[in-house]
Amino acid sequence: STLLPYTTLFRSKSLPNLDHIRIDTNGFWNADRIGTLDPADIHLNVAFHPSQTKFDPWLTRVLNMRDRGFSIVMINYVMAPQQRDDYEDFRRRLAPHDFFVNPSVFIPPADQAHDMTDAERAFYMEYLPEIDIAYRSGSASPQGKRCHHPAHTYYIRGSQIAVNCMGGPWKEIFSDQ
């Protein structure tokens, strides 16, 4: 089932000291298919990729997730520099729904060089802290520094969940290793 990773995450709520689970998602799954699982402690960071999806069907899915009980903690507008001018319209369209909207700093593909322009930096400075811009743009590295978020990064690998913090070793959270 395509919901197996989500089912694993929901069941992991029984881990000691776990306050909530945050899932980064593009929103292309059906929130009606969670069955009897309780989404109350699930925090979703839902990405919108303007070059990959249409706004209205995407918003319908996001509102359905919220209606099903998920907490939408952030909408992440994933953009290339040429889409920057559309960001304010995107925020305006989401304003009636009371979502926190974040502009995602452009991270180019590994095989493409991209130096952030002064205009890009000025744009991001309106919305993001400098540390976020620096780490995401690659002008500074978080490697070897303490985490600035009270959680780790979890990745779903098949039916297992791996945890990592700022470049440290990956560990399976359901094993003693």
Side-chain angles (χ1 to χ4, degrees), residues 5-17:
Y6 295 106
T7 303
T8 303
L9 280 171
F10 280 97
R11 290 187 181 136
S12 72
K13 286 176 31 178
S14 64
L15 293 173
N17 303 317

Side-chain angles (χ1 to χ4, degrees), residues 67-129:
D67 290 346
R68 292 285 290 146
F70 290 96
S71 176
I72 311 294
V73 295
M74 180 169 34
I75 301 295
N76 199 21
Y77 186 79
V78 181
M79 68 184 128
Q82 63 270 24
Q83 296 159 326
R84 191 176 64 233
D85 292 340
D86 298 329
Y87 178 69
E88 282 304 324
D89 182 56
F90 180 76
R91 283 174 50 117
R92 181 190 55 75
R93 292 177 74 185
L94 285 177
H97 305 290
D98 199 31
F99 290 121
F100 173 76
V101 182
N102 176 69
S104 184
V105 174
F106 177 65
I107 302 172
D111 62 344
Q112 295 178 15
H114 176 78
D115 291 324
M116 188 178 290
T117 66
D118 290 342
E120 285 176 273
R121 182 168 294 284
F123 169 80
Y124 291 126
M125 290 297 289
E126 289 184 43
Y127 304 102
L128 301 171

Side-chain angles (χ1 to χ4, degrees), residues 105-108 114-116 121 130-142:
V105 174
F106 177 65
I107 302 172
H114 176 78
D115 291 324
M116 188 178 290
R121 182 168 294 284
E130 175 63 33
I131 194 169
D132 194 28
I133 298 167
Y135 286 172
R136 291 177 179 270
S137 68
S139 64
S141 173

